Amino acid sequence: MNCKPFSLFLVSLLVGCGGSGSSSDSSNKANSTTMQTLSIMAKYKDSCGNETPASDAALLIHNSDYSNKEIIYADANGKLTYTTDNTNQTLSIIMRGENDEVNGIKPIFLATYIDQPVVDMGNYYHYTGSTVACQCQSFEVKVNVPSRSNDIGSGSISGAKGGGDINNDIGYTNFTNVSACKDSTGSWSLISTLIDYNYPEQAFAALIPDISTVVETSADLEGLVVNIDTNTEASKQVSTVIDGKYRLRNYVFSTYGNVYGFDAESVDFYAVSAYNFETLYDIPNVDDAFYWTLSSENSTNLNKIFDLPLPEIDYISLFDILLSESGQYDLSYLPNMDYLTVGIDAEYNDEIVLSWILFAPISGQVPKIENIDLSAFISDDVLDTSVDSIVMYIDVQGYHGVNGYQDFMSNRTERTVENRILDKWSKFDSVYFEMTMSNFDAISSNGSNQGSKVAKRPAENEVANKVFDKLFAKINR
């Protein structure tokens, strides 16, 4: 990237355009006679699970300064291969968003991996969110709650593409205009409904495997109270994971109130979380900012106390990484943390034009983004005239059973739905900071705003939920 208005802004935030700073050679040699092959199957996956080979994907092989050593294009099946005598290689994977365009531009989704082990990385998905190839239909279903036939509850629905309208009444909840789609096998996706009550607190659920055959059902699954112990006045949340999807999510945004898991034969595990979410106001020239700390555990056993102390770090420590003139950072003092992600979403009218995410150790140097040459895919001139805001985030993440960055990178393909309850992957911590900016002159590379005073007020529940979804999408990618 050349140093033009938008690209200059990105560079000045992360490392300073043309700035100094060394990067260690991440290409560890196996030996002169042993060759290793890195392979990736790049695929697009839509909302219904339909997969399409990403024949327009590309692989950037980087030199130690993050300049491009080689560009490899996918074959018709989306396969990318690279043979080298290195055991680890810093690289970037480029996906193009399949058929979507933003302001006449096909978006770029760029993921950079520092010291990626040269192995078969398996399937690499870009989730499009599209329903174009899906068979969808609108439905209405009435869910009775026999155990609370004289009370009015509060209903929610998951598994649908659109929740439609919810009407809570005495003894039942009506869900209308529910948009449901068939999955890639031709079956209707599982729909789950949750209805919770106060005085006394209870929650009831119904699972609907085929909503096309059901117009009325009963919520006969009673929620089991989940006991969460944490080190602060954290919010709490529980999801019942079925078929690899997070369902029946319920939460409390205070120390009061219960959260529930639901016992059913089809349950994979329960995702139990404690978290603290803050909206940060009055950072100069920043439109929106959020700060998040999370501790989470996956388990098949609800009959225990979940000990989930939150990580302790001030968001300024993450904010400073974005402002660092050298790009150097060190968060190795944080317990249980394994890796860092730094991300930028460059947007036009709230749609992504360029998305970049970096996977890196928890100490080191953010790479020189200006050395990553994307001119074969998009020009600086196009970026400079097509971006009206950016979202930047830093996320420090760690699994209690993982021993550092290389252990995570070498084994992360094992982090399947079935393995998420194993000791290696079951407990997870995260610290996340995000800010949105539309003024590209907002922060200079000398870090002049580092000491800005930030006023804090409680976050809206809806905003917290959206950020929770966004964070878990990153965690589970």
Side-chain angles (χ1 to χ4, degrees), residues 78-238:
K79 188 170 185 177
L80 296 156
T81 58
Y82 175 67
T83 301
T84 178
D85 57 357
N86 301 327
T87 57
N88 298 292
Q89 179 64 56
T90 295
L91 56 87
S92 295
I93 302 170
I94 291 180
M95 305 282 277
R96 299 306 306 270
E98 202 167 19
N99 299 319
D100 297 329
E101 288 191 354
V102 177
N103 195 30
I105 302 167
K106 201 169 187 182
I108 288 179
F109 298 86
L110 176 72
T112 300
Y113 297 87
I114 294 178
D115 288 348
Q116 165 64 42
V118 180
V119 296
D120 180 0
M121 294 177 64
N123 292 328
Y124 183 89
Y125 292 106
H126 173 71
Y127 296 91
T128 67
S130 173
T131 58
V132 173
C134 302
Q135 182 179 342
C136 303
Q137 192 173 330
S138 292
F139 298 94
E140 177 177 343
V141 62
K142 178 181 179 182
V143 180
N144 299 304
V145 187
S147 296
R148 300 294 291 262
S149 58
N150 296 318
D151 297 320
I152 298 177
S154 177
S156 60
I157 189 168
S158 59
K161 300 307 174 188
D165 303 311
I166 300 174
N167 179 33
N168 300 301
D169 212 324
I170 298 175
Y172 69 90
T173 294
N174 255 351
F175 299 89
T176 58
N177 298 316
V178 176
S179 176
C181 304
K182 289 185 176 180
D183 61 25
S184 58
T185 69
S187 301
W188 290 103
S189 297
L190 175 68
I191 302 296
S192 56
T193 62
L194 169 67
I195 305 173
D196 54 30
Y197 294 85
N198 294 316
Y199 313 113
E201 286 190 45
Q202 284 181 296
F204 298 88
L207 301 179
I208 307 172
D210 186 349
I211 194 171
S212 68
T213 64
V214 177
V215 293
E216 186 170 355
T217 190
S218 294
D220 295 324
L221 290 174
E222 183 173 355
L224 305 173
V225 176
V226 179
N227 193 341
I228 301 174
D229 188 19
T230 186
N231 59 342
T232 185
E233 294 186 359
S235 299
K236 301 171 183 178
Q237 185 164 145
V238 174

Side-chain angles (χ1 to χ4, degrees), residues 222-408:
E222 183 173 355
L224 305 173
V225 176
V226 179
N227 193 341
I228 301 174
D229 188 19
T230 186
N231 59 342
T232 185
E233 294 186 359
S235 299
K236 301 171 183 178
Q237 185 164 145
V238 174
S239 294
T240 300
V241 181
I242 302 174
D243 297 335
K245 297 182 179 179
Y246 291 68
R247 306 176 187 275
L248 301 171
R249 185 178 70 181
N250 58 108
Y251 47 84
V252 288
F253 288 100
S254 68
T255 57
Y256 305 102
N258 294 325
V259 284
Y260 304 90
F262 294 85
D263 187 13
E265 291 182 1
S266 52
V267 172
D268 297 319
F269 58 84
Y270 303 95
V272 182
S273 301
Y275 60 94
N276 187 25
F277 173 83
E278 293 181 89
T279 300
L280 305 175
Y281 298 89
D282 301 331
I283 300 179
N285 300 307
V286 172
D287 301 336
D288 297 293
F290 307 103
Y291 176 59
W292 180 283
T293 53
L294 168 84
S295 181
S296 186
E297 181 176 355
N298 300 328
S299 177
T300 57
N301 178 23
L302 290 180
N303 189 27
K304 69 173 189 175
I305 297 175
F306 289 85
D307 184 22
L308 301 175
L310 299 187
E312 296 183 359
I313 178 177
D314 193 281
Y315 81 92
I316 291 294
S317 299
L318 305 183
F319 188 58
D320 283 349
I321 295 175
L322 296 180
L323 298 173
S324 171
E325 195 167 299
S326 68
Q328 294 286 344
Y329 65 94
D330 187 357
L331 299 174
S332 58
Y333 61 88
L334 292 173
N336 300 319
M337 295 302 185
D338 301 307
Y339 67 103
L340 174 84
T341 59
V342 177
I344 298 173
D345 291 340
E347 301 179 343
Y348 176 81
N349 284 344
D350 296 324
E351 294 187 271
I352 290 176
V353 176
L354 169 66
S355 177
W356 177 65
I357 182 171
L358 164 75
F359 290 78
I362 58 172
S363 63
Q365 181 173 358
V366 179
K368 296 181 179 180
I369 191 174
E370 76 271 26
N371 286 351
I372 300 178
D373 185 2
L374 299 179
S375 59
F377 308 94
I378 193 168
S379 70
D380 287 343
D381 288 334
V382 170
L383 276 177
D384 293 339
T385 58
S386 303
V387 174
D388 55 24
S389 67
I390 65 167
V391 177
M392 303 187 67
Y393 59 86
I394 294 182
D395 191 7
V396 189
Q397 306 172 358
Y399 292 88
H400 289 212
V402 173
N403 186 24
Y405 180 71
Q406 281 301 322
D407 188 21
F408 170 76

